[in-house]
Amino acid sequence: MKKITIAIDGFSSCGKSTMAKELAKQIGYIYIDSGAMYRAVTLYSMENGIIKNGIIDTDKLKKQIADIHITFQLDPETGKPVTYLNGQNVEDKIRGMEVSSNVSPIAALDFVRVAMVALQQEMGEAKGIVMDGRDIGTTVFPKAELKIFVTAAPEIRAQRRYDELKAKGETANYEDILKNVIERDHIDQTREVSPLKMADDALLLDNSNLTHVQQSEWLMKQFNRVTEQAK
Ligand code: DC
């Protein structure tokens, strides 16, 4: 069967990564988490004195951007993709709070985006890929055969994050989380470089009231429909 490119974009905390990862596994495609790449650049910047107290030395980062090598490998035990930065497994580090709170301004730098988009396009050259992010259907793969834009009501996303934190035994305040969700939506949609925007030819998936099973079935239906057409 002819392989296609699948772009999954959308708001934060919509379950994009879980959905993209599962879909890729089901259909035997490669999964790439583009957010992990921006997170890896952020970690590199923190470890190399490029970010200090939230201030970015953009000249230094520009000079060193070509020295940042990001790759993904499947963990043979868990079957999950692991992010490598210059040969080091950084999967846990890039998910930490410090990276999370510094990544937005790094992801907003145009030369960082140019470098990451080039790498993402190279990774998707052979098709057979599911990539999730914010600008995959609009900038990275504007010709992707299947584009999905995921959303859910802010209150529902806040509740999901609240439940996740509680399940991990962390303290959480629903009102604060909701405020943060709304703020991040605003930043994502209004930033100057590559703002979050639904591609004209993307399918909207509002999963506010969908069960996991309903969502998986919907995704498979779309995949089968598009691959049938691409034959
Ligand atoms: O999806 P995430 O939370 O791991 O993304 C991390 C950051 O990178 C977040 O600030 C959004 C940004 N991002 C982006 O600007 N473009 C992408 N294609 C993916 C993520």
Side-chain angles (χ1 to χ4, degrees), residues 78 90 100 109 114 197 221 230:
T78 62
V90 292
S100 296
L109 295 171
V114 167
K197 190 175 153 280
K221 203 167 105 190

Side-chain angles (χ1 to χ4, degrees), residues 23-174:
L23 176 65
K25 204 170 171 187
Q26 262 180 310
I27 61 180
Y29 276 26
I30 291 169
Y31 162 67
I32 300 287
D33 172 358
S34 68
M37 299 166 77
Y38 293 98
R39 288 174 180 269
V41 175
T42 306
L43 179 66
Y44 177 92
S45 305
M46 283 162 40
E47 289 181 339
N48 289 276
I50 292 169
I51 301 182
K52 280 187 214 141
N53 303 321
I55 297 165
I56 307 167
D57 184 339
T58 44
D59 287 339
K60 194 168 171 188
L61 182 55
K62 208 181 258 183
K63 276 191 200 122
Q64 295 187 23
I65 193 88
D67 301 333
I68 305 178
H69 300 289
I70 301 163
T71 52
F72 296 96
Q73 279 176 37
L74 277 190
D75 180 324
E77 271 174 33
T78 62
K80 289 189 178 154
V82 173
T83 313
Y84 283 78
L85 168 63
N86 292 339
Q88 295 253 348
N89 178 341
V90 292
E91 189 56 36
D92 287 340
K93 274 194 188 165
I94 61 166
R95 309 289 167 194
M97 269 313 287
E98 220 186 330
V99 169
S100 296
S101 52
N102 280 300
V103 64
S104 284
I106 292 280
L109 295 171
D110 56 352
F111 64 91
V112 171
R113 299 206 73 88
V114 167
M116 292 306 111
V117 168
L119 189 56
Q120 289 153 9
Q121 289 174 336
E122 202 180 296
M123 288 172 168
E125 221 160 34
K127 298 202 172 205
I129 191 168
V130 183
M131 192 177 288
D132 79 326
R134 306 290 192 283
D135 61 340
I136 311 305
T138 49
T139 307
V140 182
F141 300 128
K143 291 191 180 147
E145 290 87 348
L146 179 56
K147 297 181 186 177
I148 293 158
F149 190 88
V150 199
T151 186
E155 292 75 14
I156 293 198
R157 287 185 280 143
Q159 187 64 48
R160 288 177 188 159
R161 269 172 66 187
Y162 175 86
D163 293 343
E164 263 170 32
L165 289 169
K166 282 279 169 191
K168 280 192 210 160
E170 291 178 34
T171 47
N173 175 290
Y174 172 80

Side-chain angles (χ1 to χ4, degrees), residues 9-30:
D9 291 301
F11 289 97
S12 64
S13 305
C14 278
K16 284 192 303 291
S17 302
T18 311
M19 169 191 315
K21 217 177 289 175
E22 276 179 13
L23 176 65
K25 204 170 171 187
Q26 262 180 310
I27 61 180
Y29 276 26
I30 291 169

Side-chain angles (χ1 to χ4, degrees), residues 18-19 22 207 210-219:
T18 311
M19 169 191 315
E22 276 179 13
N207 65 16
L210 288 185
T211 63
H212 190 96
V213 172
Q214 285 171 329
Q215 177 167 284
S216 302
E217 283 173 359
W218 183 87
L219 279 170

